[in-house]
Amino acid sequence: MELVDVWFILIAVLWTGYLCLEGFDFGVGMLLPAVARDEHDRQVALGTIGPVWDGNEVWLLVAGGATFAAFPEWYASLFSGFYLAFLLLLVALILRGIALEYRPKEPRWAPVLDRVLTGSSLAAALLVGVALSNIVRGVPLDADHEFTGTLLTLLNPYALLGGVTLVAVFALHGAVFLALKTDGPVRERSAAVAVSAGMLAVPVGGAFLVWTLIDGAQPWALAPVMVAALGLLLATVLVARGREGWSFTATTVAIVAVAVTLFGSLYPDVLPSTTDPAFSLTVDNAASTPYTLTIMTWVAGIVTPVVLGYQAWTFWVFRRRLTRQDYGVPAEVTGGVS
């Protein structure tokens, strides 16, 4: 296996980690109005992602940085062609960060910031899904690997279905995470919302993955597609039975299977051209020099275990369930809240 292949796999792993970890952050933000009835409920729900959301977002930054260093041609064509879409994504992520950080500091603005959080989480999930779908499907590139389309080119039916799929899957992932990390009324509502989200995610996600298979995916892709569909279905059934831990494992496996399907179908291209296959960017013509990739490999080999260890430790420290009692509600009051 050559270094270009190693770095393609590493970037795919970074994106997969981002989708698994940031996915439940987006889900919690999107579902806040559905699972919280008062300020204490909202504090419980947001407390589940408060210690980890910014660390989860780092996976996206590292994926972008790795793409820039390992595949500069891919980075250049992608970020120039998807400029407006990525700008909208950046705005959504900024607004989401503002809502999460300023909410506890300005209680008077909490209702407004809650709406900002919900809207920005939904928009970010949709835009990430649209972007990934377009990368897999391909975009119009000329002989110089320059994007020749417009923003409307990216809003094609396949990409929009991919965006809706990611929103539905993240909603299920986030609802299951809330049911796993909370107790009391928020847990009960989250479990109910997870079942509804699963009933949407299964058919929508199934349609998107079938379209991906029909659109030229390799025969082997049928296996991860089946795993993804089974994972979403099992997650819905398990959360309904109160098995939140196994349900969260199932949604995580489903997201990993979706990522394997998308990036596996993409390889050896990194950005296919719908204008002419000869104009496509591949792992070979988009890569940096072997010397650059060698240095990056040594750095990644040293730094990556440290980052993974730190993030695992963070989740371990904040592993317990949160309840309304953690935010000032007496024990005798929690049972009567619906």
Side-chain angles (χ1 to χ4, degrees), residues 78-109:
L78 187 64
F79 278 75
S80 60
F82 290 44
Y83 179 80
L84 288 177
F86 283 162
L87 178 61
L88 292 173
L89 174 60
L90 180 61
V91 170
L93 293 176
I94 290 173
L95 290 175
R96 174 172 161 270
I98 290 173
L100 287 169
E101 289 294 332
Y102 280 85
R103 190 185 190 283
K105 298 178 178 62
E106 281 293 342
R108 294 174 301 173
W109 285 89

Side-chain angles (χ1 to χ4, degrees), residues 177-195:
F177 179 77
L178 278 172
L180 175 65
K181 291 288 293 177
T182 63
D183 209 347
V186 175
R187 179 186 181 186
E188 296 169 3
R189 297 189 201 105
S190 298
V193 170
V195 174

Side-chain angles (χ1 to χ4, degrees), residues 3 63 70 129 135 146 177 218 239 263 271 285 315-316:
L3 285 179
I135 292 173
E146 293 184 1
F177 179 77
Q218 298 296 321
V239 74
F263 283 96
L271 191 61
N285 64 21
F315 277 98
W316 174 256

Side-chain angles (χ1 to χ4, degrees), residues 6 25 149 153 157 226 243 318 324:
V6 170
D25 292 337
T153 305
M226 296 299 293
R243 305 295 296 274
F318 296 100
R324 290 170 60 91

